[in-house]
Amino acid sequence: PVLSLRAAPRCLSCASCAQRRGQPPSLIAPGRRIMRLLLPMVLLAAPSQPYQRRRRFCCKTEMTYNALGDPECGRQDLVLMGKREKPREADGAAWLEFLFAVVTNAAFLVPLRMLWRRRRVADVAACVGLVITSTFYHYCETFRVSIFGMNAGNWHRLDNVFAIAGSVTFVALLMGRASKAGPSQQELDGLRWGALFVGLFFQELNPWNVACTIAPVAGALAYAAWWLSTRAPAGHGARFRSREFRYAAVAQVVAHVFFALGLDERRDVFRAWHGLWHLANAASATMYLVALDPL
């Protein structure tokens, strides 16, 4: 159906005309002006069906090129408006990819439980979001389906956001709990929210460029390095000399090697390297909690 809109006479929203009718300008309903702005936007946001069939939509970039230059979309991310590619057949290869990419997210339940026992509420929220979005992303990617109307590219965006939030929990862990001698609660809150805001900006810019995920985490680490070198209390560095901390650091390095190897989707067909990234990253987070925030 075609929606026909008829604009109201101009004098109904004109202050001078209202004054001539004896009405004070304060009684003029500002809603008409807002509606005049919103209705064209609504019409543009709901294009006709032929236009939907013609328009190509890529949830990686939403443009052919953007500022960081990522002109290609992956196998599951190039879609037509309102129409997706057919779901993948659940064969042996699909279930193998499901095992590596999806099931390995269960490893993060271990550090999640440890965070809960330590009453680190903000970090629990970040970890829960990471587990959910990563699981949904890899499930949609594996079977070429959508969950809650969002395909793998949409869930990948959210996965990156919570990956940034989860990484910042590690940075907060390095600084320690809020205390008079340690960082203030305002500093920790500013660190978390600041990294999240910057991360959201970069994920809108280009979620499939690794630099857009690394940048906000690097900024948070730079702030932590400045805090540790200038404001940390005496003896704070002793927390980083334990055997558990060294094991956690080694596991973290190994995890990042696995992550780098898994970036090539053409070689990592079953997402095995990415699954090992999940496992090593979860192990690293577990040992960091033991070393830096023991019960």
Side-chain angles (χ1 to χ4, degrees), residues 67-134:
L68 295 181
D70 186 4
E72 296 182 357
C73 293
R75 56 191 178 183
Q76 77 281 356
D77 297 306
L78 187 60
V79 298
L80 299 176
M81 294 292 289
K83 182 180 178 181
R84 270 195 46 77
E85 62 181 275
K86 294 181 180 179
R88 178 184 183 182
E89 182 181 354
D91 54 10
W95 285 114
L96 190 59
E97 184 175 342
F98 173 81
L99 175 65
F100 283 121
V102 181
V103 176
T104 52
N105 280 296
F108 289 102
L109 296 178
V110 177
L112 175 59
R113 183 175 182 273
M114 296 175 69
L115 289 170
W116 178 258
R117 291 186 63 193
R118 287 159 173 76
R119 299 295 185 263
R120 301 181 71 96
V121 179
D123 299 339
V124 167
C127 190
V128 168
L130 178 61
V131 171
I132 292 175
T133 55
S134 180

Side-chain angles (χ1 to χ4, degrees), residues 144-208:
R144 319 288 198 269
V145 296
S146 61
I147 297 177
F148 300 129
M150 296 191 293
N151 66 6
N154 302 126
W155 285 110
H156 184 273
R157 220 181 258 267
L158 291 174
D159 180 31
N160 281 356
V161 170
F162 282 103
I164 292 169
S167 299
V168 175
T169 65
F170 161 70
V171 180
L173 197 63
L174 292 176
M175 295 174 62
R177 288 184 176 270
S179 63
K180 291 183 178 180
S184 66
Q185 189 62 50
Q186 289 80 4
E187 286 176 315
L188 294 176
D189 289 344
L191 173 73
R192 289 189 174 99
W193 284 102
L196 180 61
F197 289 161
V198 174
L200 287 172
F201 167 80
F202 277 109
Q203 290 310 300
E204 282 299 316
L205 179 64
N206 191 332
W208 284 77

Side-chain angles (χ1 to χ4, degrees), residues 240-257:
F240 310 138
R241 301 191 187 103
S242 67
R243 181 175 57 183
E244 292 81 6
F245 185 87
R246 290 194 295 271
Y247 288 162
V250 171
Q252 188 178 39
V253 172
V254 172
H256 283 87
V257 172

Side-chain angles (χ1 to χ4, degrees), residues 202-241:
F202 277 109
Q203 290 310 300
E204 282 299 316
L205 179 64
N206 191 332
W208 284 77
N209 189 307
V210 179
C212 288
T213 302
I214 295 176
V217 179
L221 284 170
Y223 175 81
W226 170 82
W227 186 90
L228 290 169
S229 61
T230 60
R231 304 190 60 179
H236 191 83
R239 304 166 67 238
F240 310 138
R241 301 191 187 103

